[in-house]
C-alpha cells in the first residue's frame, strides 16, 4: 500500500545511497526510452487548447535525487527536495519543450497544471533539459515529472549512478533490498546503455544487415573491376606492345590502363550517388543522429569505393607494364 511503499522506497534510497561507489540514487515509475511510458490528461493554466489538440501528456513519477542520478540539468527554478520521498505533493517539474510550447516567451515558474478535471493545480517549480522518453528517434516531447508521493504506484525501478562498473554493484544492492524485504522479487537488472540498446535493437539489426550486404557488394565490385580491367589488358596486349615499341614507357602504359579503368569507376560512382540521393527517403526511418543526406557519408563512401577500385586497377596495370614489346607484337 502507499504508506508502506513510500516508507520502503525512502529507506531503500537511503541505504543504497550510502553504499561505497554509489554517487546518486533514486526511483522512477518509467525508465527513459520506454515505448510504454505513462500519460495523463491535463489542464494547463493560461493555455487554450486548439480544437482536437491532444492534451494527454507524458509524465514520470520520480523519487528524490532523480535528476542528479540521471544527469539531467536544471534549466530554471528548482527540483524536488532530497529529504523525503513524499514531499512536494502539489509541485511539478516540466521539460524545456513543455515550457516553450505552452508558455512561449513567458516564465513557467509558478504556473499551474491540473491533473484531471476537479483537482487543485500543481505548481511548476522548475524546468529541466529535454531528453528521450519513448524512443530515440522521437521529436522533442512535452514532459512532466511528479513526486512519487503525489501519484503513487508500487511498480518502480531503482536507479543508481556509480563511479565504476554499475553491474559490479548489483550484489551489494541486492543485499540491501533483501535486508529491507526478503520477499520482494528483483528483476530487469540492466545498465542504462543496455536499456537504450534494447530500444534501438531493430535499427541496429538493420544497420548490421545493411553493413554486411554493403561489404559483399564492395567485394563483388572490386572483383568485377579487377576482372574487367584484366580482360581489357588481355585484349589490348598487341596494342600495348605497339605503343611500347613506338616509345611509350611503363608510366605511360600504367596511366593508360588505370585512367581508362578509373573512368568507368567514376561513371559508376556518379550513377550510384544519384541513386543514393533518390533513395534517402526510404532509409530515413532507420537513421538516428545522422541526416539521410549527411555530407560526410556522401563524401567518404565514394572516396572509399574509388580507393578500392584504384587498387583493383593497379594489379592489371602493373602486369601490362611488364609486357615484352616483341612478344606483344606477335600476340593474336
Amino acid at each position: 500500500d502507499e504508506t508502506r511503499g513510500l516508507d520502503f522506497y525512502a529507506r531503500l534510497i537511503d541505504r543504497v545511497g550510502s553504499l561505497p561507489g554509489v554517487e546518486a540514487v533514486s526511483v522512477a515509475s518509467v525508465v527513459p526510452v520506454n515505448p510504454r511510458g505513462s500519460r495523463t490528461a491535463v489542464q494547463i493554466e493560461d493555455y487554450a487548447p486548439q480544437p482536437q489538440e491532444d492534451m494527454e501528456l507524458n509524465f514520470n513519477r520520480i523519487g528524490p535525487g532523480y535528476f542528479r542520478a540521471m544527469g539531467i540539468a536544471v534549466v530554471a527554478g528548482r527540483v524536488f527536495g532530497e529529504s523525503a520521498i513524499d514531499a512536494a505533493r502539489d509541485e511539478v517539474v516540466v521539460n524545456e519543450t513543455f515550457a516553450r510550447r505552452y508558455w512561449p516567451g513567458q516564465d513557467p515558474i509558478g504556473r499551474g497544471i491540473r491533473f484531471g478535471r476537479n483537482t487543485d493545480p500543481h505548481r511548476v517549480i522548475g524546468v529541466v533539459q529535454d531528453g528521450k522518453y519513448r524512443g530515440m528517434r522521437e521529436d522533442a516531447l512535452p514532459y512532466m515529472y511528479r513526486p512519487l508521493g503525489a501519484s503513487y504506484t508500487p511498480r518502480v525501478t531503482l536507479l543508481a549512478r556509480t563511479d565504476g562498473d554499475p553491474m559490479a554493484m548489483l550484489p551489494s544492492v541486492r543485499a540491501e533490498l533483501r535486508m529491507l524485504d526478503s520477499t520482494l522479487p528483483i528483476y530487469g537488472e540492466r545498465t542504462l546503455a543496455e536499456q537504450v540498446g534494447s530500444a534501438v535493437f531493430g535499427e541496429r539489426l538493420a544497420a548490421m544487415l545493411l553493413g554486411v550486404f554493403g561489404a559483399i557488394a564492395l567485394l563483388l565490385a572490386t572483383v568485377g573491376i579487377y576482372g574487367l580491367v584484366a580482360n581489357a589488358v588481355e585484349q589490348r596486349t598487341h596494342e600495348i606492345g605497339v605503343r611500347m615499341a613506338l616509345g611509350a614507357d611503363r608510366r605511360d602504359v600504367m596511366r593508360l590502363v588505370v585512367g581508362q579503368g578509373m573512368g568507368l569507376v567514376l561513371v559508376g560512382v556518379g550513377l550510384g550517388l544519384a541513386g543514393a540521393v533518390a533513395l534517402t527517403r526510404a532509409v530515413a526511418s532507420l537513421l538516428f543522429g545522422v541526416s539521410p543526406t549527411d555530407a560526410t557519408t556522401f563524401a567518404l563512401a565514394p572516396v572509399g569505393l574509388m580507393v578500392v577500385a584504384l587498387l583493383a586497377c593497379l594489379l592489371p596495370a602493373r602486369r601490362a607494364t611488364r609486357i615484352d614489346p616483341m612478344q606483344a607484337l606477335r600476340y593474336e
Side-chain angles (χ1 to χ4, degrees):
D1 59 69
E2 182 175 346
T3 301
R4 291 178 57 209
L6 291 176
D7 177 68
F8 172 81
Y9 293 132
R11 289 187 291 130
L12 175 63
I13 290 173
D14 183 63
R15 294 180 72 105
V16 174
S18 65
L19 291 174
V22 175
E23 296 179 342
V25 63
S26 186
V27 293
S29 62
V30 179
V31 180
V33 199
N34 187 328
R36 291 184 292 272
S38 296
R39 288 167 59 86
T40 185
V42 299
Q43 295 175 293
I44 300 174
E45 184 178 286
D46 299 326
Y47 179 78
Q50 299 297 316
Q52 306 301 318
E53 181 177 358
D54 183 11
M55 295 304 296
E56 190 174 275
L57 305 181
N58 294 275
F59 77 102
N60 198 356
R61 307 172 180 92
I62 62 173
Y66 175 83
F67 300 107
R68 188 157 60 91
M70 298 301 295
I72 301 175
V74 179
V75 177
R78 61 179 178 85
V79 294
F80 309 124
E82 302 278 339
S83 57
I85 198 169
D86 60 345
R89 289 176 178 263
D90 61 347
E91 296 176 344
V92 63
V93 172
V94 300
N95 70 347
E96 296 172 283
T97 297
F98 190 107
R100 283 195 301 266
R101 178 172 299 182
Y102 300 114
W103 301 299
Q106 306 174 53
D107 184 6
I109 306 302
R111 304 279 180 163
I113 301 175
R114 295 179 184 271
F115 296 91
R117 294 185 176 276
N118 300 314
T119 60
D120 294 329
H122 290 60
R123 296 295 167 184
V124 175
I125 63 169
V127 179
V128 297
Q129 67 181 157
D130 289 340
K132 296 295 183 181
Y133 308 106
R134 288 180 173 268
M136 295 300 293
R137 297 197 312 274
E138 69 188 10
D139 295 329
L141 299 175
Y143 204 82
M144 304 172 291
Y145 299 90
R146 303 183 66 187
L148 183 61
S151 179
Y152 179 73
T153 175
R155 297 179 61 86
V156 300
T157 298
L158 176 70
L159 307 166
R161 175 182 289 274
T162 67
D163 60 5
D165 180 11
M167 301 306 286
M169 294 296 302
L170 277 179
S172 300
V173 174
R174 291 194 194 102
E176 295 297 333
L177 278 163
R178 293 192 184 100
M179 290 179 66
L180 288 173
D181 191 333
S182 60
T183 66
L184 285 180
I186 306 170
Y187 63 96
E189 302 157 328
R190 61 173 60 183
T191 64
L192 190 57
E194 291 171 340
Q195 169 76 5
V196 173
S198 65
V200 294
F201 173 77
E203 289 83 350
R204 285 185 173 179
L205 179 60
M208 182 181 68
L209 291 175
L210 289 174
V212 171
F213 293 149
I216 294 173
L218 181 60
L219 177 62
L220 293 174
T222 304
V223 172
I225 293 171
Y226 172 82
L228 181 65
V229 176
N231 183 62
V233 170
E234 183 74 18
Q235 291 180 349
R236 299 176 66 181
T237 300
H238 184 79
E239 175 195 338
I240 293 172
V242 172
R243 289 177 180 272
M244 296 182 72
L246 294 175
D249 59 19
R250 292 188 174 185
R251 285 179 299 179
D252 295 326
V253 175
M254 177 75 74
R255 193 180 302 114
L256 172 68
V257 175
V258 173
Q260 292 183 347
M262 291 304 295
L264 294 175
V265 170
L266 289 174
V267 172
V269 168
L271 294 174
L273 283 174
V277 171
L279 292 174
T280 50
R281 291 186 178 181
V283 300
S285 62
L286 299 175
L287 301 177
F288 168 72
V290 62
S291 167
T293 56
D294 179 62
T296 302
T297 303
F298 273 83
L300 291 179
V303 170
L305 180 58
M306 285 190 289
V307 169
V308 173
L310 178 61
L311 294 175
C313 292
L314 283 176
L315 292 177
R318 287 188 62 188
R319 189 169 59 187
T321 62
R322 296 172 181 171
I323 294 175
D324 184 347
M326 296 305 296
Q327 291 183 357
L329 289 173
R330 291 194 294 266
Y331 183 84
E332 294 296 336

